[in-house]
Amino acid sequence: MVARSRKYLIRGGKLIDSNGVRIAELLVDDGKIEAIEQRIDPPRGCVEIDARDLVVSPGFVDLHTHLRQPGNERSETILSGSLAGVLGGYTALLAMPNTSPPIDSPEVVSYVKELSREALLDVYFAGAITKGRNGESLVEMGKLAELGIRLFTDDGNGVQDAQLMRRALEYARGIGVTLAQHCEDLSLANGGAVNEGAVSSVLGLRGIPNAAEDVMVARDIELVRLTGARMHFLHISTSRSAELVRWAKHDGMPITAEVTPHHLVLSEKNISGYNPIFKVNPPLRSEADRSALWSALNEDVFDAIATDHAPHHVEAKETTFDQAAFGMIGLQTALGAVLGEMNRSLSLSDGETLVAGGVSDEQLMHLVGLLTSRPARIAGISDVHGGPLVEGRPANIAIFDPQLKWRLSESEIVSRSKNSPYLGVDLTGRVLYTIVNGELKLREGELCL
Amino acid sequence: MSRSLTSIADLSDDDISQLLELSRIFLEVNQREIPKVPALRGKTVATLFFENSTRTRLSFELAATRLSADVLTFTLTTSSVSKGESLRDTAETIESLGADLIVMRHFSSGSVQLVSSWLEIPLVNAGDGAHEHPTQALLDAYAIMEHFNTGKRLDGISVAIVGDVLHSRVARSNVQLLSRLGAQVTLVGPPALIPLDLSLWPARATNSLEDVLSESDVIYMLRVQSERFTESLIPSMSEFSRLFSLTAERLERTRKEAVVMHPGPIIRGVEIAAEAADSSRSLIRTQVTTGVGVRMAVLYWLLGANQGRLESIW
């Protein structure tokens, strides 16, 4: 691998990271950021990357990826998911443990870590909170932590039993790891397929009320108050849950939360044609919830934008809405979907003229933080990923055009599954280069294989 | 993909009045000594039912037979689905066999629309989950118009739809169609059996049957679909009956000219008392009879033979 390492000089780009925004040149050498200066003379043998009009940021970190391996390799593999990640600007993914078998023992951890060596980027793994993700008894978190697991979740399920969750939080605090919750009270979700609201009522589909999420967010906030443990909330989708997180943070509690691109961009309105591509858990909510999520995002209630990339092979989706699998892919489109929506709302709020240059540097810096340094901190990988872009750090870098308009076609999807809700939709902002630990993996939008 | 009837929303106002007019013609045919016309001779109508239903399937099959179409009957229980054949493969097989139209019932909302997107031939929705049952609404509208002699509209008619609205495809089709034709629709039932958010429904709702008894022209009773309950939605059938059954005593308190309707099957003593079901003000049997003519109209209309030149039917 080291033999392929080269020198890259990134010229003319706008550097954005947690330190701010500046125009500078950046030299990558031997896996590290060698230099950042106003002007760097190209050393012998270096590859120059013309980044004029482009943003140079730390490589993106996804806190919420389903890679389906082991157990469902028809839908995705660690390798195929890593290709999608590189195309989306990601240099690190946190893979969820709801595989088959689930990631709940040292043996499975060792196995998936071995598999992840073929990935084009750094794959980290979350462990399950309960054995078999059954919600009954605790996983040996200490043993998994020794193997590098920093975050535990039963994602796909929330831990239903409040007492078990309390004990899990206490135990996690003791060994210094973070628990992440998929907030869904299953009794309230009641086997629903879609948001319970105006649309479900007309379509005759069983609904999942906002309360199914809200009650577990509220419960877990109180359990964090009780135990003092760290807690991360996965894919917050409702107005009320965002409000609860805001209050908990206001109280100074050690809580973080993520929101997905699809809950920011899509709503229950997309379901009207019963297209199972739009079936996802938590469900696409009302327009009022969607707008509340944006307000919360802008007011810093959320710490990360995470994809919940959930590949499903065609048969799992080509069926009736109630029987179809939950989930949509999102690694390749996260930036384009979110920036696309930010640009759309700018042009809506400023009806007379489109704002020249689209989103502001301030907005971009905020967005970059949500995609890089902040999720890296939650995943416990800040030493390698998420920036900042400073000399001596590992060279994990994304370079993107924040204004490029594009559409995703099915043939461009490198995931094994094609269940993207954005096919044929206008997206804005596209990643053109991804550098993983000093190696160029994406060049002018093309994978370097 | 040809035109299908999956939802009342598929129909324009013109379509609706054409279908009701065709229904009139075919109901006249059904009065003849030999109630059969060669309108669909050589056509094959397949009925594909993933859910048990004898009444609706027989009504469609009789309609097809009276139009001289050949009928293929597929009844698929959950066991054949569990063999693993996908819905798409099942539907495509029936199309490949040479069916010209599929009448489909399925337990999943949206399933008929989904299948119609895969096939070239038209589909008729004979009930998809809790979504719609458009031919039921057409026959109900026809029966109400005939009874009240309101012409091609239902202006000024107030309809109370009572009972398990949550699980009812009949209610979802009827609310749309009856309100489009000018009727005022009120949904009546306990909160757990009325959808939470009715903001897109052209209907109002109340939790008290007493509220609507004296102001409705049509009391439309629904069966409680307890087989679809996965939880305790109401304390008991007997308590439901106490609050929402159309009893003889409640029938007394309706308007003199008010009629009683029900899509069947009726469960006597639960949502409706025998005195109401069998009273002279019950349209329940008229609905069944009307259904055959309306389904003849729908099949004829979708298979498109000589559309617009009705005299050529016979």
Side-chain angles (χ1 to χ4, degrees), chain A residues 190 198 201 204 206 274 318 322, chain B residues 88 108-109 172 201 230-231:
Chain A
N190 194 26
S201 134
R206 190 178 286 227
Y274 290 104
E318 194 177 63
D322 56 349
Chain B
R88 181 168 191 156
S108 293
S109 301
R172 284 181 181 75
W201 291 50
T230 54
E231 62 194 297

Side-chain angles (χ1 to χ4, degrees), chain A residues 403-418:
Chain A
Q403 296 187 54
L404 187 68
K405 292 199 187 310
W406 61 292
R407 285 183 173 196
L408 182 72
S409 66
E410 195 169 313
S411 61
E412 281 179 277
I413 297 178
V414 298
S415 280
R416 287 204 174 175
S417 299
K418 312 297 176 195

Side-chain angles (χ1 to χ4, degrees), chain A residues 3 10 43 66 96-97 155 178 202-203 228 256 274 287 388 394 409 428:
Chain A
I10 303 165
H66 296 276
M96 292 292 109
D155 181 51
T178 304
V202 167
L203 295 182
T256 55
Y274 290 104
E287 278 294 315
S409 66
T428 306

Side-chain angles (χ1 to χ4, degrees), chain B residues 118-182:
Chain B
W118 295 328
L119 303 187
E120 294 297 320
I121 58 174
L123 273 93
V124 177
N125 183 358
D128 62 326
H131 177 223
E132 284 214 39
H133 191 357
T135 59
Q136 179 73 42
L138 285 164
L139 76 88
D140 289 334
Y142 187 95
I144 300 170
M145 282 173 183
E146 279 295 291
H147 180 84
F148 289 100
N149 201 15
T150 53
K152 295 185 150 196
R153 297 277 303 169
L154 291 172
D155 296 306
I157 301 289
S158 57
V159 181
I161 299 181
V162 185
D164 184 0
V165 176
L166 184 71
H167 297 103
S168 178
R169 49 200 174 210
V170 172
R172 284 181 181 75
S173 284
N174 263 322
V175 163
Q176 282 186 67
L177 182 62
L178 301 184
S179 66
R180 270 174 71 178
L181 292 169

Side-chain angles (χ1 to χ4, degrees), chain A residues 187 190 196-206 209 268 272-274 276 318-323, chain B residues 87-88 106-111 113-114 118 128 130-131 172 195-201 228 230-231:
Chain A
S187 63
N190 194 26
E196 182 170 3
V199 173
S200 70
S201 134
V202 167
L203 295 182
L205 289 169
R206 190 178 286 227
E268 62 180 356
S272 59
Y274 290 104
E318 194 177 63
T319 182
T320 56
F321 200 94
D322 56 349
Q323 308 217 323
Chain B
L87 180 59
R88 181 168 191 156
H106 194 280
F107 43 82
S108 293
S109 301
S111 53
Q113 188 178 322
L114 181 71
W118 295 328
D128 62 326
H131 177 223
R172 284 181 181 75
L196 188 67
D197 186 334
L198 292 173
S199 54
L200 298 177
W201 291 50
R228 297 185 204 273
T230 54
E231 62 194 297

Side-chain angles (χ1 to χ4, degrees), chain A residues 119-161:
Chain A
L120 265 68
L121 43 64
D122 287 341
V123 178
Y124 300 87
F125 295 91
I129 296 173
T130 66
K131 284 180 192 147
R133 297 174 54 254
N134 288 334
E136 285 168 11
S137 62
L138 295 181
V139 156
E140 295 170 321
M141 289 187 226
K143 291 185 185 170
L144 269 58
E146 282 173 17
L147 295 171
I149 306 297
R150 289 282 162 269
L151 189 136
F152 292 81
T153 176
D154 275 2
D155 181 51
N157 299 329
V159 176
Q160 302 295 309
D161 187 299

Side-chain angles (χ1 to χ4, degrees), chain A residues 5-247:
Chain A
S5 289
R6 299 183 63 172
K7 296 180 186 181
Y8 300 102
L9 180 57
I10 303 165
R11 318 194 76 166
K14 184 186 284 183
L15 272 54
I16 300 185
D17 62 9
S18 54
N19 287 343
V21 180
R22 67 269 183 212
I23 305 273
E25 299 191 343
L26 188 154
L27 180 67
V28 173
D29 188 10
D30 196 23
K32 299 243 183 306
I33 296 173
E34 179 70 23
I36 298 179
E37 283 166 39
Q38 279 305 306
R39 168 113 189 99
I40 299 174
D41 286 327
R44 179 187 291 272
C46 92
V47 174
E48 289 187 42
I49 294 172
D50 180 1
R52 278 173 297 176
D53 300 324
L54 304 182
V55 171
V56 180
S57 80
F60 301 166
V61 174
D62 191 28
L63 276 179
H64 198 145
T65 312
H66 296 276
L67 292 176
R68 304 300 187 214
Q69 193 176 15
N72 190 0
E73 289 80 358
R74 252 181 94 200
S75 295
E76 193 78 289
T77 62
I78 291 173
L79 175 61
S80 65
S82 80
L83 301 181
V86 164
L87 272 161
Y90 290 90
T91 56
L93 306 178
L94 182 66
M96 292 292 109
N98 63 333
T99 47
S100 182
I103 303 175
D104 64 355
S105 68
E107 292 74 20
V108 180
V109 171
S110 304
Y111 176 62
V112 292
K113 280 176 79 170
E114 184 61 31
L115 289 174
S116 72
R117 288 170 57 174
E118 63 175 6
L120 265 68
L121 43 64
D122 287 341
V123 178
Y124 300 87
F125 295 91
I129 296 173
T130 66
K131 284 180 192 147
R133 297 174 54 254
N134 288 334
E136 285 168 11
S137 62
L138 295 181
V139 156
E140 295 170 321
M141 289 187 226
K143 291 185 185 170
L144 269 58
E146 282 173 17
L147 295 171
I149 306 297
R150 289 282 162 269
L151 189 136
F152 292 81
T153 176
D154 275 2
D155 181 51
N157 299 329
V159 176
Q160 302 295 309
D161 187 299
Q163 177 65 2
L164 183 64
M165 192 62 200
R166 174 203 170 151
R167 295 304 181 202
L169 283 163
E170 285 172 336
Y171 198 79
R173 183 173 59 97
I175 57 174
V177 297
T178 304
L179 299 192
Q181 187 77 288
H182 164 117
C183 289
E184 180 185 21
D185 180 308
L186 284 179
S187 63
L188 282 170
N190 194 26
V194 61
N195 182 49
E196 182 170 3
V199 173
S200 70
S201 134
V202 167
L203 295 182
L205 289 169
R206 190 178 286 227
I208 302 172
N210 284 18
E213 177 170 321
D214 303 339
V215 298
M216 194 174 281
V217 170
R219 180 198 80 176
D220 284 0
I221 287 171
E222 295 314 314
L223 291 178
V224 168
R225 211 187 295 277
L226 178 68
T227 60
R230 275 201 307 272
M231 171 106 186
H232 177 67
F233 287 117
L234 302 165
H235 45 49
I236 292 293
S237 74
T238 73
S239 148
R240 189 74 203 128
S241 287
E243 199 54 33
L244 288 164
V245 171
R246 185 203 310 268
W247 275 81

Side-chain angles (χ1 to χ4, degrees), chain B residues 26-66:
Chain B
F26 286 118
L27 281 162
E28 280 163 22
V29 168
N30 286 346
Q31 302 287 317
R32 295 181 189 171
E33 200 174 333
I34 301 173
K36 188 159 182 167
V37 289
L40 295 183
R41 196 162 55 194
K43 300 283 188 188
T44 301
V45 170
T47 53
L48 173 59
F49 278 54
F50 290 87
E51 215 177 42
N52 290 329
S53 154
T54 314
R55 313 157 56 88
T56 305
R57 186 169 55 75
L58 286 179
S59 179
F60 270 106
E61 291 181 357
L62 185 60
T65 307
R66 288 191 167 171

